[in-house]
Amino acid sequence: MLDLVAAARLLRAAEQSKPEFKPDFSSGKPLEEALNLTPRVAETLLWIAQGKTNGDIATILGISEATVKAHLGRVFRPIGVTDRTSAALWGRDHALS
């Protein structure tokens, strides 16, 4: 029983010592500047990083799904990825405050 209590305490201490992950999706400006993206392309990447579908993004931005796909295509090379999932993960990981 003591081993379980000690393990629980160690786990709790480890969880409390981790830095809190807080991505900042409030602005695409840092992505625009760092990657030389247009504001709309940077905004598309931020929405992808938040798990939105192409259809969702099209509705949010008032553009077509084809335009969303074109924006994504413009993102892949500068960030070094070849697919949407990798772009979403990259965007999430680089939208840190």
Side-chain angles (χ1 to χ4, degrees):
M1 186 69 162
L2 274 179
D3 289 336
L4 282 175
V5 171
R9 286 184 182 149
L10 284 173
L11 183 60
R12 189 174 312 122
E15 287 175 354
Q16 291 174 349
S17 68
K18 285 184 195 175
E20 190 172 351
F21 178 70
K22 289 184 175 182
D24 179 7
F25 296 113
S26 63
S27 172
K29 194 72 168 167
L31 293 173
E32 292 172 38
E33 293 171 357
L35 301 170
N36 196 29
L37 300 175
T38 66
R40 214 49 151 176
V41 171
E43 189 175 11
T44 299
L45 178 55
L46 289 180
W47 285 118
I48 291 292
Q50 293 176 72
K52 300 296 184 189
T53 66
N54 289 355
D56 292 339
I57 297 167
T59 300
I60 291 165
L61 299 180
I63 57 179
S64 71
E65 283 189 56
T67 302
V68 172
K69 289 178 186 177
H71 288 343
L72 277 178
R74 290 184 189 99
V75 166
F76 290 173
R77 182 174 292 180
I79 65 174
V81 301
T82 58
D83 60 76
R84 186 183 198 283
T85 301
S86 297
L89 292 172
W90 189 98
R92 184 207 59 199
D93 293 344
H94 289 83
L96 300 174
S97 54

